[in-house]
Amino acid sequence: MARLLGLLSAALFAVSTTAQSSTYVNPAVPTGTPVPGNYTGDLRPQVHFSPPQGFMNDPNGMFVDAEGTWHLYYQYNPTSVVAGNQHWGHATSKDLYHWVNQPIALFPPEERVYVFSGSAVLDVNNTSGFFPDQDNGVVAIFTLARYYENGAGPQTQNIAYSRDGGYSFEYYDANPVIDSTSSQFRDPKVIWYEDHWVAVIAYAQEFAVGLFTSPDLKTWTFASNFTRHGLLGAQYECPNLVKMPVRDADGAVIDEKYVMAVSIQPGAPLGGSITEYFLGDFNGTHFTPLDSVTRLTDFAKDNYAAQFFYGVPDGQNQVNLGWASNWQYAQKVPTGNLEGWRSAMTAPRVNYITEAPRIGLVMVDEIYDVSPILDSKLKSETCDGEGRIALDYSSVESGALYIEVNVTNINTTLLTDYSTLNISFASPASGEILQSGFYFGGDTPFFINRGGIKGFDNVFFTDKFSTADVYSSGSSSTLASWSMKAVIDRSIFEVFVDRGFHTGTVVFYPSQPLTALNLASRLPAGASVSVDIWSLKRSWAEFENEQGTVLGNVTSSGNSTSRRSMVYDSKFSV
Ligand SMILES: *[C@@H]1O[C@H](CO)[C@@H](O)[C@H](O)[C@H]1NC(C)=O
Ligand SMILES: *[C@@H]1O[C@H](CO)[C@@H](O)[C@H](O)[C@H]1NC(C)=O
Ligand SMILES: *[C@@H]1O[C@H](CO)[C@@H](O)[C@H](O)[C@H]1NC(C)=O
Ligand SMILES: *[C@@H]1O[C@H](CO)[C@@H](O)[C@H](O)[C@H]1NC(C)=O
Ligand SMILES: *[C@@H]1O[C@H](CO)[C@@H](O)[C@H](O)[C@H]1NC(C)=O
Ligand SMILES: *[C@@H]1O[C@H](CO)[C@@H](O)[C@H](O)[C@H]1NC(C)=O
Ligand SMILES: *[C@@H]1O[C@H](CO)[C@@H](O)[C@H](O)[C@H]1NC(C)=O
Ligand SMILES: *[C@@H]1O[C@H](CO)[C@@H](O)[C@H](O)[C@H]1NC(C)=O
Ligand SMILES: *[C@@H]1O[C@H](CO)[C@@H](O)[C@H](O)[C@H]1NC(C)=O
Ligand SMILES: *[C@@H]1O[C@H](CO)[C@@H](O)[C@H](O)[C@H]1NC(C)=O
């Protein structure tokens, strides 16, 4: 504790003498070279992104470039395992599962001003004028939050540009591009609409999303407000406006609509943080919801501030990932003390709009193509109604599994209260258990229970979650079907129920690794249960050196060796 605090105060923002001119760099923070990471800890997700060390929150600046490289930036405190001292960390991926850690992309521009959330776009037409002779210029737009001795100062919107494809940025010299006197005005997310840029920005405590337009990313004009819709919680944050295809039951594109996603925090229905969304139309200046329905992106409570990648071509399914945590306990989870990092992103998800039975239009949130991380198929079984699989996966090095279940030929008139399919994961060593399951009859709930996991507890660390999945209608004349997919990855569990109509994201912190899967189904005769279980690769393994350290994209320009060793040995001493 003393050591870390001492360093933090001693380190308060010396002027950088390296690459980032006009930025303030804490001497404990490396410039030009990535922060190294140890991704071997028992709680460290193996196929999810998590920061090399320190504290991560919202995903930022997400875009996919013309070569198909996905760029993820993130709210990053590289000097502690709690929030504060916000930078933009950076990582890239070709498949959204194997991430290359890159040098920190945005540093505070001056003392006591922090780089909060925002987005990035590819300025292919040089609308900004920052890119004399290239079509792969990147412009980041983000909130700078000023703090005074005695409290929060204004939050303004600012830009920085990158001529090297998003690896390093220069601050624009005429910031801010949207000024403000409010300390609650943040998280700009920019898209291109026909012939102009559009930003959605949260007036956090006035429950409004402001829409602004710009020809050049520098000059912005207020266009409209989307005010007081859905759940308010106590703040609106991280708005997203994104166009998506509407698909029919066969997957054909029949229309397109916009999604307005708003993250609320604190005050979510289950406590803390959650994301709601609205479906509607957008005409370049105004978003008009289709109906008065508030929809949620997740039925558990560890999926916040998701952002949609810029640059996914028009007409295609969109792609997002969120912060897999909740402010109610994000800064307390045991990975900080035990392994020196806190928070992972969700797995990447694919999104489009379609009709869910009875409910009507929803945004499907389905796991992105997992083929790059599949290791070996551990089980592939089909059984008739009553089935049981017990799998010891203690020899799976990643500790991570992918599970697919299809249930077909369900005669719903034969269902009882006991018609269920459950999947659990246990530690025989500690007796801990993570449970999930679906009730095919009655109110058709899908549940997750992390209450049997003992490595972390907290008054807000809710144990049990459920949703109601109205799956494909069965009747006496038609047989019904149902499906789910799940990923378990050491300390994060995600389920995609019924083709992604319902998604549940939970973090959990076992005192011993979970190594025993049990699946049990009890369904009427004639129903067919088909299950595939795969072990997953350790995505990080290919980036480790002989010592097991992930160094990331180390280039010759960096100068931080002296700095690094100041703060980081193997663990934080918080
Ligand atoms: C990485 O972390 C593991 C687990 O906490 C630890 O056993 C190992 O010594 C660490 N490796 C390095 C190079 O610090
Ligand atoms: C770039 O210019 C083309 C041709 O004018 C236009 O169709 C397109 O919408 C523009 N895109 C962006 C992002 O500026
Ligand atoms: C980009 O914009 C700048 C500033 O307007 C201009 O000098 C430059 O020629 C432009 N480059 C291209 C390729 O249009
Ligand atoms: C938009 O909302 C913000 C935040 O409530 C408010 O300050 C502003 O006046 C609104 N603009 C208009 C035109 O209503
Ligand atoms: C967009 O919609 C708003 C609200 O309905 C309307 O006032 C505005 O004129 C529309 N703009 C265009 C370009 O259609
Ligand atoms: C479902 O079961 C009922 C009762 O046995 C039977 O009458 C009905 O034909 C079955 N439906 C189908 C589609 O097989
Ligand atoms: C599934 O779990 C529920 C809740 O614990 C239990 O009531 C049910 O019997 C289980 N079903 C099977 C097939 O084991
Ligand atoms: C489940 O169904 C989907 C779609 O038909 C298929 O691609 C997948 O292989 C099936 N998985 C299992 C485990 O049966
Ligand atoms: C490493 O960073 C440089 C820019 O500094 C970039 O050009 C290169 O593509 C990156 N390599 C990888 C593997 O990410
Ligand atoms: C790297 O940083 C160290 C310590 O700040 C400094 O002494 C050294 O001159 C720097 N080297 C380069 C190549 O900039």
Side-chain angles (χ1 to χ4, degrees), residues 283 285-286 288:
N283 70 1
T285 55
H286 291 69
T288 311

Side-chain angles (χ1 to χ4, degrees), residues 351-428:
N351 305 102
Y352 60 92
I353 296 165
T354 196
E355 293 266 346
R358 190 195 304 161
I359 307 301
L361 291 179
V362 295
M363 177 178 74
V364 164
D365 201 31
E366 174 85 297
I367 190 163
Y368 190 84
D369 177 17
V370 290
S371 55
I373 45 168
L374 295 180
D375 187 13
S376 46
K377 203 183 253 185
L378 304 178
K379 287 274 180 196
S380 186
E381 293 192 5
T382 300
C383 60
D384 181 31
E386 303 254 343
R388 242 161 229 291
I389 293 175
L391 175 69
D392 173 353
Y393 62 98
S394 54
S395 63
V396 172
E397 202 196 346
S398 65
L401 302 175
Y402 172 68
I403 301 142
E404 230 177 71
V405 179
N406 290 341
V407 184
T408 52
N409 298 332
I410 309 166
N411 183 334
T412 52
T413 63
L414 303 179
L415 293 172
T416 71
D417 287 351
Y418 304 102
S419 302
T420 45
L421 183 145
N422 297 341
I423 306 178
S424 67
F425 308 86
S427 163

Side-chain angles (χ1 to χ4, degrees), residues 94 167 253 349 451 469:
K94 284 289 187 185
Y167 294 91
V253 176
R349 286 101 184 268
D469 178 41

Side-chain angles (χ1 to χ4, degrees), residues 448-469:
I448 300 173
N449 180 7
R450 64 180 171 189
I453 301 291
K454 303 301 181 200
F456 175 65
D457 199 14
N458 173 291
V459 69
F460 301 112
F461 196 63
T462 318
D463 284 347
K464 300 175 182 69
F465 307 97
S466 68
T467 186
D469 178 41

Side-chain angles (χ1 to χ4, degrees), residues 69 92 100-103 164 167-168 553-555 557:
T69 299
T92 57
V100 180
N101 285 330
Q102 304 289 349
D164 65 358
Y167 294 91
S168 63
N553 186 6
V554 179
T555 57
S557 63

Side-chain angles (χ1 to χ4, degrees), residues 18 559-560 562-563:
T18 54
N559 182 7
S560 64
S562 57
R563 291 174 169 168

Side-chain angles (χ1 to χ4, degrees), residues 161-213:
Y161 54 93
S162 170
R163 293 191 170 128
D164 65 358
Y167 294 91
S168 63
F169 286 85
E170 295 282 333
Y171 277 91
Y172 175 45
D173 58 16
N175 277 328
V177 292
I178 306 178
D179 207 355
S180 152
T181 54
S182 168
S183 62
Q184 302 294 334
F185 178 51
R186 57 181 172 270
D187 311 338
K189 171 73 170 103
V190 175
I191 59 170
W192 177 253
Y193 180 87
E194 292 181 0
D195 59 358
H196 62 272
W197 301 103
V198 177
V200 287
I201 310 173
Y203 293 99
Q205 300 188 350
E206 292 163 85
F207 308 103
V209 177
L211 288 85
F212 294 75
T213 59

